[in-house]
Amino acid sequence: MLKYFTKRVLGIIPTLLCVLLFLFSLIYLLPGDPASIMLGPRATPTMVEALNKSLGLDQPVYVRLGHYVWDILHGDLGESVWSKHSVVNLLMSALPYTIALTLSSMGLAAFFGIIMGVLAATHEKTLIDHLITVLSLIAVSIPDFVAACLLMLIFAVRLRFFPVLGGGEEGNIGDQIRHLILPVIALTLGWLGYIARLVRDTTLEILDMDYIKVIKSFGAPMSYIAFKYALKNAIIPVVATIGLGVGKLLGGAVFVELIFNRPGIGKVITDAVFARDLPVVQGGVLIAALLFILANLVADLSYAYFDPRIQYE
Amino acid sequence: MPKNKVLIEISHRWDSYKIKSRLQIKKITQVIKVIRREPRGLIGASIIGIILLCALFSPLIAPFDPNEQDIANRFSVPSSEHLLGTDYIGRDILSRLIYGARAAAIVSICSVGIAVMIGVPLGAIAAYNGGIVDYVVILIFDVIRSFPSVIMILVLAAIFGPSLLNIILILAFTSFPAYGRVARAQTLCMKEEESILAAKSLGATTGRILLHHITPNILSPIIVLAGMDLAVMIMWESALSFLGLGLQPPAASWGIMLKQGYTYIETAPLMIIWPAIVLIITMLGCSLFAEVLRIALNPKERLPNE
């Protein structure tokens, strides 16, 4: 396990370096002079020069790359071109909203997805199975931004069950949870359907195995077998797709946060993208990429832990 | 071994290779059979077919010009004249949905096509050569995949600006590593085959082997992946247009229509509901189709009376 662990952890270093290099080169990908583009057409030459200086654009490339990496290693992501707030602070104040959103979606999807999947598998080819299959297929087919719009239309605008916009009053947990419900449902749907189908397929495969047949022949009831023996193995593929799920949910969070106007990372990045606030974009994308890489690493490691065969491949 | 015996051996292996590629064709006809037999496949295929028809013949099918405004008639409810009603400047929603199919089809087909064209050769070359080429190509794939695709697409769309060509290129750029990975894995198995050795010993160049002997044999999983990706790309086109980073108004795109509906969410719910329904049905059709495709290509899940 230790060998596999070191191999996987060291394996992300080249990827991390390339991610940094890509983010650093973003500024050169912008067509034209970056400072004047960020400031817009009404910028005076002195403003452009000042921004060039504060972004370090007047220095040679290798010095800048060195500074960039050095600053990041010291937890400094620069400051916003417009508001002059430190990017780290901006992102840190937004991060809890996004983490609350994605984690609760992930938990809900995993919980209900596993139950639905096991139920469908143990009742194969009955009404329950067909119902769950159809429901999960529909859930998978609704893009999260469409789900968000529809949920908002039905439950917030028409029925007025939930508040329409915002992340809730700061410090008021109840209000924040009320603001969280619709976004979480919008984000959960797709992933829930995916997990339900995945768990159904693996559980079916496991229920067909010899050791389950042996337990069955001892007279154990089906529900006992499913939740005591089959579930353990059915969870493995769910764990393996956590990395994928975090990527998908982080992506979905961008749309959901925008639609419900929640102050999360996705909203910070999109706002910065439209304002051409490059330091914020770079910082936000870095954080998102880090979360994604980390989630993939955790998923890989726990997969290897649950299924030791992986380590020897 | 005498020389002519070697030649006979080679020609035998050559024949086995030809039989193999014939098997591939048989597989495809088998897939079509399964799709025709399964009601889910039929439903999926007909939804996709209707959307393709709408995309191809939108000027003939649409009752109105998608950009024809009728301010006096704005926010009108469905009637015999405007089957699905009109939007905030009196444009016919049905016509705009039909033209939206065209944007969705162009973006998804072109971006998947380009992604396949870049990813498959890269993956095949990497696997065939191995060594440093393989390492570099895999690193490129890994870096692109280490960004959550939404954020990557968002940033690239913001940098290069919104236009039809840019969306297609960006979507192709973020999705080609998936094809590269599949092509690489398939080529790794394929290159150990005796038919490849036979071709090599007959003096075929690397390029010829890759193009004529490896590519045709690794295509079937790629086709499945591409089929599933079409739906994802349709979703992306709408999502980007929804954000304002895709097609720009007044173009007719499902994403733009949804966005405009979102603006009028308090007053005109139909402006959200219609594009949402069309998007969901499209995705559903693609999922059904992909599901049956998966069943058809996975012998373990073959239907009992196969």
Side-chain angles (χ1 to χ4, degrees), chain B residues 160-187:
Chain B
F160 295 109
S163 79
L164 188 64
L165 184 67
N166 282 352
I167 308 172
I168 291 173
L169 291 179
I170 289 165
L171 290 179
F173 176 73
T174 47
S175 62
F176 83 87
Y179 297 97
R181 289 223 145 226
V182 175
R184 181 176 170 276
Q186 294 282 322
T187 310

PDB file of all heavy atoms in Angstrom, chain B residues 160-187:
ATOM      1  N   PHE B 160     -10.700  33.359 -25.907  1.00  0.00           N
ATOM      2  CA  PHE B 160     -10.753  33.437 -27.362  1.00  0.00           C
ATOM      3  C   PHE B 160     -12.006  34.125 -27.867  1.00  0.00           C
ATOM      4  O   PHE B 160     -12.142  34.353 -29.061  1.00  0.00           O
ATOM      5  CB  PHE B 160     -10.627  32.043 -27.966  1.00  0.00           C
ATOM      6  CG  PHE B 160      -9.285  31.438 -27.684  1.00  0.00           C
ATOM      7  CD1 PHE B 160      -9.145  30.392 -26.805  1.00  0.00           C
ATOM      8  CD2 PHE B 160      -8.154  31.967 -28.282  1.00  0.00           C
ATOM      9  CE1 PHE B 160      -7.904  29.857 -26.524  1.00  0.00           C
ATOM     10  CE2 PHE B 160      -6.909  31.438 -28.008  1.00  0.00           C
ATOM     11  CZ  PHE B 160      -6.778  30.389 -27.128  1.00  0.00           C
ATOM     12  N   GLY B 161     -12.913  34.441 -26.964  1.00  0.00           N
ATOM     13  CA  GLY B 161     -14.098  35.169 -27.383  1.00  0.00           C
ATOM     14  C   GLY B 161     -15.143  34.237 -27.946  1.00  0.00           C
ATOM     15  O   GLY B 161     -14.822  33.160 -28.427  1.00  0.00           O
ATOM     16  N   PRO B 162     -16.421  34.629 -27.832  1.00  0.00           N
ATOM     17  CA  PRO B 162     -17.480  33.753 -28.286  1.00  0.00           C
ATOM     18  C   PRO B 162     -17.678  33.807 -29.802  1.00  0.00           C
ATOM     19  O   PRO B 162     -17.858  34.887 -30.349  1.00  0.00           O
ATOM     20  CB  PRO B 162     -18.715  34.309 -27.567  1.00  0.00           C
ATOM     21  CG  PRO B 162     -18.383  35.727 -27.260  1.00  0.00           C
ATOM     22  CD  PRO B 162     -16.892  35.877 -27.243  1.00  0.00           C
ATOM     23  N   SER B 163     -17.572  32.652 -30.451  1.00  0.00           N
ATOM     24  CA  SER B 163     -17.994  32.540 -31.849  1.00  0.00           C
ATOM     25  C   SER B 163     -18.208  31.065 -32.119  1.00  0.00           C
ATOM     26  O   SER B 163     -17.723  30.218 -31.360  1.00  0.00           O
ATOM     27  CB  SER B 163     -16.947  33.109 -32.798  1.00  0.00           C
ATOM     28  OG  SER B 163     -15.909  32.180 -32.988  1.00  0.00           O
ATOM     29  N   LEU B 164     -18.918  30.762 -33.194  1.00  0.00           N
ATOM     30  CA  LEU B 164     -19.248  29.370 -33.488  1.00  0.00           C
ATOM     31  C   LEU B 164     -17.988  28.529 -33.619  1.00  0.00           C
ATOM     32  O   LEU B 164     -17.847  27.469 -33.010  1.00  0.00           O
ATOM     33  CB  LEU B 164     -20.065  29.320 -34.786  1.00  0.00           C
ATOM     34  CG  LEU B 164     -20.647  27.957 -35.124  1.00  0.00           C
ATOM     35  CD1 LEU B 164     -21.648  27.534 -34.089  1.00  0.00           C
ATOM     36  CD2 LEU B 164     -21.279  27.970 -36.496  1.00  0.00           C
ATOM     37  N   LEU B 165     -17.020  29.039 -34.401  1.00  0.00           N
ATOM     38  CA  LEU B 165     -15.785  28.285 -34.637  1.00  0.00           C
ATOM     39  C   LEU B 165     -15.036  28.063 -33.325  1.00  0.00           C
ATOM     40  O   LEU B 165     -14.548  26.961 -33.048  1.00  0.00           O
ATOM     41  CB  LEU B 165     -14.899  29.036 -35.633  1.00  0.00           C
ATOM     42  CG  LEU B 165     -13.624  28.290 -36.012  1.00  0.00           C
ATOM     43  CD1 LEU B 165     -13.959  27.046 -36.798  1.00  0.00           C
ATOM     44  CD2 LEU B 165     -12.681  29.181 -36.792  1.00  0.00           C
ATOM     45  N   ASN B 166     -14.961  29.115 -32.494  1.00  0.00           N
ATOM     46  CA  ASN B 166     -14.240  28.982 -31.236  1.00  0.00           C
ATOM     47  C   ASN B 166     -14.859  27.943 -30.318  1.00  0.00           C
ATOM     48  O   ASN B 166     -14.150  27.165 -29.690  1.00  0.00           O
ATOM     49  CB  ASN B 166     -14.172  30.328 -30.505  1.00  0.00           C
ATOM     50  CG  ASN B 166     -13.115  31.223 -31.115  1.00  0.00           C
ATOM     51  OD1 ASN B 166     -12.351  30.783 -31.970  1.00  0.00           O
ATOM     52  ND2 ASN B 166     -13.081  32.465 -30.698  1.00  0.00           N
ATOM     53  N   ILE B 167     -16.208  27.923 -30.239  1.00  0.00           N
ATOM     54  CA  ILE B 167     -16.847  26.913 -29.376  1.00  0.00           C
ATOM     55  C   ILE B 167     -16.477  25.535 -29.863  1.00  0.00           C
ATOM     56  O   ILE B 167     -16.125  24.653 -29.073  1.00  0.00           O
ATOM     57  CB  ILE B 167     -18.385  27.001 -29.434  1.00  0.00           C
ATOM     58  CG1 ILE B 167     -18.864  28.395 -29.182  1.00  0.00           C
ATOM     59  CG2 ILE B 167     -19.016  26.064 -28.446  1.00  0.00           C
ATOM     60  CD1 ILE B 167     -20.348  28.485 -29.448  1.00  0.00           C
ATOM     61  N   ILE B 168     -16.559  25.335 -31.176  1.00  0.00           N
ATOM     62  CA  ILE B 168     -16.268  24.003 -31.719  1.00  0.00           C
ATOM     63  C   ILE B 168     -14.842  23.603 -31.362  1.00  0.00           C
ATOM     64  O   ILE B 168     -14.592  22.504 -30.866  1.00  0.00           O
ATOM     65  CB  ILE B 168     -16.475  24.001 -33.248  1.00  0.00           C
ATOM     66  CG1 ILE B 168     -17.957  24.155 -33.565  1.00  0.00           C
ATOM     67  CG2 ILE B 168     -15.937  22.724 -33.861  1.00  0.00           C
ATOM     68  CD1 ILE B 168     -18.260  24.330 -35.021  1.00  0.00           C
ATOM     69  N   LEU B 169     -13.889  24.529 -31.581  1.00  0.00           N
ATOM     70  CA  LEU B 169     -12.484  24.208 -31.317  1.00  0.00           C
ATOM     71  C   LEU B 169     -12.252  23.944 -29.832  1.00  0.00           C
ATOM     72  O   LEU B 169     -11.547  23.008 -29.459  1.00  0.00           O
ATOM     73  CB  LEU B 169     -11.579  25.343 -31.799  1.00  0.00           C
ATOM     74  CG  LEU B 169     -11.528  25.502 -33.314  1.00  0.00           C
ATOM     75  CD1 LEU B 169     -10.618  26.662 -33.696  1.00  0.00           C
ATOM     76  CD2 LEU B 169     -11.045  24.216 -33.974  1.00  0.00           C
ATOM     77  N   ILE B 170     -12.864  24.760 -28.971  1.00  0.00           N
ATOM     78  CA  ILE B 170     -12.657  24.590 -27.529  1.00  0.00           C
ATOM     79  C   ILE B 170     -13.223  23.255 -27.057  1.00  0.00           C
ATOM     80  O   ILE B 170     -12.576  22.512 -26.320  1.00  0.00           O
ATOM     81  CB  ILE B 170     -13.325  25.752 -26.756  1.00  0.00           C
ATOM     82  CG1 ILE B 170     -12.539  27.036 -26.996  1.00  0.00           C
ATOM     83  CG2 ILE B 170     -13.387  25.451 -25.272  1.00  0.00           C
ATOM     84  CD1 ILE B 170     -13.295  28.268 -26.592  1.00  0.00           C
ATOM     85  N   LEU B 171     -14.435  22.927 -27.512  1.00  0.00           N
ATOM     86  CA  LEU B 171     -15.030  21.653 -27.101  1.00  0.00           C
ATOM     87  C   LEU B 171     -14.194  20.492 -27.610  1.00  0.00           C
ATOM     88  O   LEU B 171     -13.983  19.505 -26.901  1.00  0.00           O
ATOM     89  CB  LEU B 171     -16.467  21.552 -27.614  1.00  0.00           C
ATOM     90  CG  LEU B 171     -17.464  22.491 -26.948  1.00  0.00           C
ATOM     91  CD1 LEU B 171     -18.841  22.324 -27.555  1.00  0.00           C
ATOM     92  CD2 LEU B 171     -17.520  22.237 -25.455  1.00  0.00           C
ATOM     93  N   ALA B 172     -13.675  20.621 -28.839  1.00  0.00           N
ATOM     94  CA  ALA B 172     -12.822  19.560 -29.381  1.00  0.00           C
ATOM     95  C   ALA B 172     -11.559  19.442 -28.540  1.00  0.00           C
ATOM     96  O   ALA B 172     -11.123  18.345 -28.194  1.00  0.00           O
ATOM     97  CB  ALA B 172     -12.473  19.848 -30.834  1.00  0.00           C
ATOM     98  N   PHE B 173     -11.001  20.589 -28.165  1.00  0.00           N
ATOM     99  CA  PHE B 173      -9.755  20.596 -27.397  1.00  0.00           C
ATOM    100  C   PHE B 173      -9.924  19.908 -26.051  1.00  0.00           C
ATOM    101  O   PHE B 173      -9.066  19.151 -25.608  1.00  0.00           O
ATOM    102  CB  PHE B 173      -9.295  22.042 -27.193  1.00  0.00           C
ATOM    103  CG  PHE B 173      -8.064  22.174 -26.344  1.00  0.00           C
ATOM    104  CD1 PHE B 173      -6.824  21.819 -26.833  1.00  0.00           C
ATOM    105  CD2 PHE B 173      -8.148  22.644 -25.045  1.00  0.00           C
ATOM    106  CE1 PHE B 173      -5.692  21.926 -26.050  1.00  0.00           C
ATOM    107  CE2 PHE B 173      -7.023  22.766 -24.256  1.00  0.00           C
ATOM    108  CZ  PHE B 173      -5.793  22.403 -24.765  1.00  0.00           C
ATOM    109  N   THR B 174     -11.066  20.156 -25.378  1.00  0.00           N
ATOM    110  CA  THR B 174     -11.229  19.564 -24.047  1.00  0.00           C
ATOM    111  C   THR B 174     -11.643  18.099 -24.118  1.00  0.00           C
ATOM    112  O   THR B 174     -11.548  17.399 -23.125  1.00  0.00           O
ATOM    113  CB  THR B 174     -12.265  20.326 -23.212  1.00  0.00           C
ATOM    114  OG1 THR B 174     -13.401  20.532 -24.025  1.00  0.00           O
ATOM    115  CG2 THR B 174     -11.726  21.639 -22.741  1.00  0.00           C
ATOM    116  N   SER B 175     -12.127  17.633 -25.280  1.00  0.00           N
ATOM    117  CA  SER B 175     -12.600  16.242 -25.286  1.00  0.00           C
ATOM    118  C   SER B 175     -11.671  15.288 -26.024  1.00  0.00           C
ATOM    119  O   SER B 175     -11.842  14.081 -25.908  1.00  0.00           O
ATOM    120  CB  SER B 175     -14.009  16.171 -25.871  1.00  0.00           C
ATOM    121  OG  SER B 175     -14.000  16.612 -27.191  1.00  0.00           O
ATOM    122  N   PHE B 176     -10.673  15.794 -26.768  1.00  0.00           N
ATOM    123  CA  PHE B 176      -9.861  14.837 -27.538  1.00  0.00           C
ATOM    124  C   PHE B 176      -9.053  13.874 -26.678  1.00  0.00           C
ATOM    125  O   PHE B 176      -8.821  12.739 -27.102  1.00  0.00           O
ATOM    126  CB  PHE B 176      -8.987  15.546 -28.590  1.00  0.00           C
ATOM    127  CG  PHE B 176      -7.684  16.103 -28.085  1.00  0.00           C
ATOM    128  CD1 PHE B 176      -6.549  15.295 -28.052  1.00  0.00           C
ATOM    129  CD2 PHE B 176      -7.575  17.410 -27.681  1.00  0.00           C
ATOM    130  CE1 PHE B 176      -5.342  15.803 -27.589  1.00  0.00           C
ATOM    131  CE2 PHE B 176      -6.387  17.916 -27.221  1.00  0.00           C
ATOM    132  CZ  PHE B 176      -5.271  17.107 -27.163  1.00  0.00           C
ATOM    133  N   PRO B 177      -8.621  14.249 -25.422  1.00  0.00           N
ATOM    134  CA  PRO B 177      -7.862  13.271 -24.640  1.00  0.00           C
ATOM    135  C   PRO B 177      -8.625  11.976 -24.384  1.00  0.00           C
ATOM    136  O   PRO B 177      -8.025  10.905 -24.329  1.00  0.00           O
ATOM    137  CB  PRO B 177      -7.584  14.002 -23.328  1.00  0.00           C
ATOM    138  CG  PRO B 177      -7.613  15.421 -23.680  1.00  0.00           C
ATOM    139  CD  PRO B 177      -8.667  15.551 -24.724  1.00  0.00           C
ATOM    140  N   ALA B 178      -9.958  12.062 -24.253  1.00  0.00           N
ATOM    141  CA  ALA B 178     -10.735  10.847 -24.009  1.00  0.00           C
ATOM    142  C   ALA B 178     -10.568   9.876 -25.177  1.00  0.00           C
ATOM    143  O   ALA B 178     -10.340   8.680 -24.981  1.00  0.00           O
ATOM    144  CB  ALA B 178     -12.200  11.206 -23.814  1.00  0.00           C
ATOM    145  N   TYR B 179     -10.656  10.405 -26.406  1.00  0.00           N
ATOM    146  CA  TYR B 179     -10.482   9.542 -27.580  1.00  0.00           C
ATOM    147  C   TYR B 179      -9.057   9.020 -27.657  1.00  0.00           C
ATOM    148  O   TYR B 179      -8.812   7.876 -28.014  1.00  0.00           O
ATOM    149  CB  TYR B 179     -10.822  10.303 -28.855  1.00  0.00           C
ATOM    150  CG  TYR B 179     -12.256  10.723 -28.888  1.00  0.00           C
ATOM    151  CD1 TYR B 179     -12.642  12.004 -28.507  1.00  0.00           C
ATOM    152  CD2 TYR B 179     -13.242   9.829 -29.258  1.00  0.00           C
ATOM    153  CE1 TYR B 179     -13.966  12.371 -28.497  1.00  0.00           C
ATOM    154  CE2 TYR B 179     -14.561  10.187 -29.254  1.00  0.00           C
ATOM    155  CZ  TYR B 179     -14.918  11.467 -28.873  1.00  0.00           C
ATOM    156  OH  TYR B 179     -16.225  11.821 -28.856  1.00  0.00           O
ATOM    157  N   GLY B 180      -8.101   9.914 -27.320  1.00  0.00           N
ATOM    158  CA  GLY B 180      -6.697   9.518 -27.351  1.00  0.00           C
ATOM    159  C   GLY B 180      -6.438   8.341 -26.423  1.00  0.00           C
ATOM    160  O   GLY B 180      -5.758   7.393 -26.788  1.00  0.00           O
ATOM    161  N   ARG B 181      -7.030   8.394 -25.238  1.00  0.00           N
ATOM    162  CA  ARG B 181      -6.816   7.323 -24.256  1.00  0.00           C
ATOM    163  C   ARG B 181      -7.357   5.993 -24.777  1.00  0.00           C
ATOM    164  O   ARG B 181      -6.699   4.966 -24.674  1.00  0.00           O
ATOM    165  CB  ARG B 181      -7.525   7.666 -22.943  1.00  0.00           C
ATOM    166  CG  ARG B 181      -6.858   8.781 -22.231  1.00  0.00           C
ATOM    167  CD  ARG B 181      -6.775   8.482 -20.747  1.00  0.00           C
ATOM    168  NE  ARG B 181      -5.536   9.037 -20.240  1.00  0.00           N
ATOM    169  CZ  ARG B 181      -4.706   8.390 -19.440  1.00  0.00           C
ATOM    170  NH1 ARG B 181      -4.983   7.162 -19.078  1.00  0.00           N
ATOM    171  NH2 ARG B 181      -3.624   8.960 -19.016  1.00  0.00           N
ATOM    172  N   VAL B 182      -8.589   6.039 -25.316  1.00  0.00           N
ATOM    173  CA  VAL B 182      -9.182   4.800 -25.829  1.00  0.00           C
ATOM    174  C   VAL B 182      -8.347   4.272 -26.989  1.00  0.00           C
ATOM    175  O   VAL B 182      -8.005   3.079 -27.038  1.00  0.00           O
ATOM    176  CB  VAL B 182     -10.635   5.043 -26.278  1.00  0.00           C
ATOM    177  CG1 VAL B 182     -11.199   3.799 -26.914  1.00  0.00           C
ATOM    178  CG2 VAL B 182     -11.475   5.453 -25.097  1.00  0.00           C
ATOM    179  N   ALA B 183      -7.970   5.164 -27.909  1.00  0.00           N
ATOM    180  CA  ALA B 183      -7.192   4.735 -29.075  1.00  0.00           C
ATOM    181  C   ALA B 183      -5.866   4.138 -28.626  1.00  0.00           C
ATOM    182  O   ALA B 183      -5.421   3.121 -29.155  1.00  0.00           O
ATOM    183  CB  ALA B 183      -6.953   5.919 -30.007  1.00  0.00           C
ATOM    184  N   ARG B 184      -5.268   4.747 -27.617  1.00  0.00           N
ATOM    185  CA  ARG B 184      -3.972   4.264 -27.140  1.00  0.00           C
ATOM    186  C   ARG B 184      -4.109   2.857 -26.556  1.00  0.00           C
ATOM    187  O   ARG B 184      -3.338   1.950 -26.889  1.00  0.00           O
ATOM    188  CB  ARG B 184      -3.420   5.224 -26.083  1.00  0.00           C
ATOM    189  CG  ARG B 184      -2.083   4.804 -25.557  1.00  0.00           C
ATOM    190  CD  ARG B 184      -1.492   5.790 -24.589  1.00  0.00           C
ATOM    191  NE  ARG B 184      -0.341   5.185 -23.962  1.00  0.00           N
ATOM    192  CZ  ARG B 184      -0.406   4.389 -22.904  1.00  0.00           C
ATOM    193  NH1 ARG B 184      -1.581   4.118 -22.366  1.00  0.00           N
ATOM    194  NH2 ARG B 184       0.685   3.861 -22.404  1.00  0.00           N
ATOM    195  N   ALA B 185      -5.113   2.684 -25.698  1.00  0.00           N
ATOM    196  CA  ALA B 185      -5.299   1.374 -25.065  1.00  0.00           C
ATOM    197  C   ALA B 185      -5.553   0.302 -26.120  1.00  0.00           C
ATOM    198  O   ALA B 185      -4.992  -0.794 -26.063  1.00  0.00           O
ATOM    199  CB  ALA B 185      -6.460   1.439 -24.086  1.00  0.00           C
ATOM    200  N   GLN B 186      -6.384   0.636 -27.108  1.00  0.00           N
ATOM    201  CA  GLN B 186      -6.711  -0.337 -28.154  1.00  0.00           C
ATOM    202  C   GLN B 186      -5.485  -0.676 -28.999  1.00  0.00           C
ATOM    203  O   GLN B 186      -5.261  -1.820 -29.360  1.00  0.00           O
ATOM    204  CB  GLN B 186      -7.816   0.235 -29.051  1.00  0.00           C
ATOM    205  CG  GLN B 186      -9.126   0.406 -28.346  1.00  0.00           C
ATOM    206  CD  GLN B 186      -9.835  -0.911 -28.220  1.00  0.00           C
ATOM    207  OE1 GLN B 186      -9.796  -1.744 -29.116  1.00  0.00           O
ATOM    208  NE2 GLN B 186     -10.484  -1.134 -27.086  1.00  0.00           N
ATOM    209  N   THR B 187      -4.695   0.380 -29.324  1.00  0.00           N
ATOM    210  CA  THR B 187      -3.524   0.159 -30.162  1.00  0.00           C
ATOM    211  C   THR B 187      -2.507  -0.712 -29.441  1.00  0.00           C
ATOM    212  O   THR B 187      -1.853  -1.561 -30.053  1.00  0.00           O
ATOM    213  CB  THR B 187      -2.885   1.501 -30.549  1.00  0.00           C
ATOM    214  OG1 THR B 187      -3.907   2.348 -31.042  1.00  0.00           O
ATOM    215  CG2 THR B 187      -1.831   1.319 -31.614  1.00  0.00           C
TER     216      THR B 187
END
